[in-house]
Amino acid sequence: MTACGATCVNITGTSPTTGTWSEQTGNPSGATLGTTAAGIAEVCFAATASGTYNFIYSISSGCEDTMSIVVTPKPDAGPDQTTCFMNGNGTATLAATGTGTWTEQAGNPGTSTSVSSTANNTNVTTFSATGTYNYIWTNGACSDTVSVVVNPNGNIGNYVWNDLNGNGTNDEAASAGINGVTVELWKETAPGSGTFALSTSTTTANDGTGNSGYYNFTICESANYKVKFPTSNAGTGLTSQTSTPATDGNNDANPSDGFSPVVVLDISGTGTAKDNPTIDAGFVRVGSIGDFVWLDKNGDGKQDANESGLTGIKVYLLDNNGNVIDSTTTDADGKYLFNDLL
C-alpha cells in the first residue's frame, strides 16, 4: 500500500477479524496507529512522514501477518497569496518546498502563465481575469494546493498637452501632446484625513497608437487620490483650470500648485468610478517682466555709467485692474524679475 503524508488510511485484517494491529519496532517516526475494531485500524501519518511503515496483525492463536505502507511526504505548495490584476500584468510567486510539478487547477476564473512547471519558486503572470486561482504542487501520487486571489484594479490618467490657444480646453491636434513630463500620484494617508502623501510617479509618453503626452497610474487600492503636475515645463506654465475639473479634455491642474481635484477611486466600481481617464493638464507659453532700479543722479531719466542700481527696493506687479498680484525686491545690483507670467 502507498500513502501520502498528512493523510489517514485504514488497514484491515481478516480470517479472523478478531485480531489486533500493532506497529513494528523500527518504523520511521510520524505514524499514529488507532485501536483495532473488527479487524480494522486507522493509521494517520504526519505531513513529514516518509519511508516504509510495517504493521503487524496478530490473532489469539499466536499467528500474525505484516502489512507494509510506503509513505511519501506531503508536498508543500507554500502560503496562499493575494495580488493585484494590474491590467493583466499582475504577478504572484508560488513558493513550494521539495520536488514536484505545478499544474493549474481546472475551473480557475481565467488563464495565467507559469514561468516554470517544475521549479519550487515560480512566477505566475498575465492573469486574464480577477478571482481566486488554485495551483497544484504534485509529487508522485501526493499533492498540495495553493490559492492566489487576484483583486481588481482601477486606473487614473490621462493627458498632458500644449494649450496653444490658452483656453484651458484640449482642442489642439494630437501633435500637441507633451512627452517627458513627470506626473505624480498622491494618496490620502487615512480615509477622511484630507492629508495626501506622494505614492508614485510616472512620465508622459506615447500611447498605444503612437500619440504623445499620455500617462496612466494603475491603482490597486480604493481610496482618495490627487494627481500633481509640474507648475512649469520648458518655458511654459499651467493653463487656467477650467470650471468643470475632472471632465475629460480640459485642464484639471491648479496653476498655483499643480494638483488636480480629489479623485475618488473604487477598484470594484464601474465606469469612471473605477477607471478615470480624465485628469489632464495643459501648458501655455509664459513670459517675464524685469529689469532694473537705479539712482538717477542727474535726473535725466537715463541710466548713465556712473549711476548704480539700488538694492532692496520693493517692486509690485499689478494686473490690468490695478490689483497687486505679486511683489519682489531688487537684488544687490538693483535688478528684479517676475517669472512664469501667463
Side-chain angles (χ1 to χ4, degrees):
M1 178 185 291
T2 59
C4 300
T7 62
C8 296
V9 297
N10 288 332
I11 50 178
T12 302
T14 59
S15 301
T17 59
T18 55
T20 303
W21 285 102
S22 62
E23 187 174 354
Q24 188 179 78
T25 302
N27 276 351
S29 61
T32 302
L33 177 64
T35 58
T36 305
I40 301 173
E42 183 181 64
V43 184
C44 292
F45 297 100
T48 56
S50 177
T52 300
Y53 294 76
N54 294 311
F55 299 91
I56 303 169
Y57 187 62
S58 304
I59 61 176
S60 58
S61 66
C63 295
E64 59 186 30
D65 192 17
T66 302
M67 169 180 278
S68 296
I69 303 177
V70 179
V71 179
T72 301
K74 181 181 185 298
D76 183 0
D80 292 339
Q81 298 183 46
T82 299
T83 189
C84 180
F85 183 59
M86 297 291 289
N87 297 326
N89 295 313
T91 298
T93 301
L94 307 182
T97 57
T99 58
T101 302
W102 287 109
T103 56
E104 188 170 344
Q105 188 178 78
N108 280 348
T111 60
S112 62
T113 301
S114 176
V115 173
S116 171
S117 63
T118 58
N120 303 65
N121 297 331
T122 187
N123 289 337
V124 181
T125 61
T126 58
F127 298 97
S128 65
T130 59
T132 300
Y133 291 72
N134 293 311
Y135 301 91
I136 305 169
W137 179 241
T138 302
N139 181 12
C142 304
S143 63
D144 189 29
T145 301
V146 63
S147 295
V148 177
V149 178
V150 181
N151 288 323
N153 69 267
N155 295 278
I156 295 176
N158 177 60
Y159 187 59
V160 176
W161 87 101
N162 275 314
D163 186 18
L164 300 176
N165 59 16
N167 67 352
T169 300
N170 176 25
D171 48 16
E172 283 74 21
S175 59
I178 310 173
N179 282 350
V181 177
T182 299
V183 184
E184 297 177 348
L185 180 69
W186 289 58
K187 178 178 176 291
E188 193 172 29
T189 56
S193 68
T195 300
F196 290 78
L198 178 63
S199 176
T200 188
S201 64
T202 190
T203 303
T204 55
N206 288 353
D207 66 2
T209 61
N211 292 321
S212 57
Y214 288 87
Y215 75 94
N216 185 74
F217 293 110
T218 302
I219 310 297
C220 294
E221 182 181 357
S222 297
N224 292 337
Y225 295 89
K226 287 183 179 182
V227 177
K228 185 178 183 182
F229 302 89
T231 55
S232 62
N233 178 66
T236 62
L238 286 169
T239 189
S240 57
Q241 189 178 37
T242 59
S243 60
T244 55
T247 299
D248 197 22
N250 59 15
N251 177 53
D252 300 292
N254 188 324
S256 64
D257 59 17
F259 278 105
S260 74
V262 174
V263 181
V264 181
L265 207 75
D266 178 4
I267 63 172
S268 298
T270 59
T272 55
K274 177 180 182 291
D275 300 298
N276 191 327
T278 71
I279 311 304
D280 306 322
F283 285 89
V284 293
R285 185 64 56 184
V286 295
S288 59
I289 295 176
D291 140 84
F292 188 68
V293 177
W294 83 98
L295 179 61
D296 188 12
K297 294 179 180 179
N298 58 14
D300 64 355
K302 300 179 181 179
Q303 181 193 353
D304 299 318
N306 65 337
E307 295 174 340
S308 58
L310 294 175
T311 302
I313 301 299
K314 196 78 169 181
V315 183
Y316 297 93
L317 181 67
L318 310 181
D319 64 15
N320 57 2
N321 294 317
N323 300 311
V324 175
I325 57 175
D326 200 359
S327 64
T328 188
T329 303
T330 56
D331 63 15
D333 297 319
K335 296 181 178 180
Y336 73 94
L337 185 66
F338 294 102
N339 277 316
D340 298 333
L341 302 179
L342 299 177

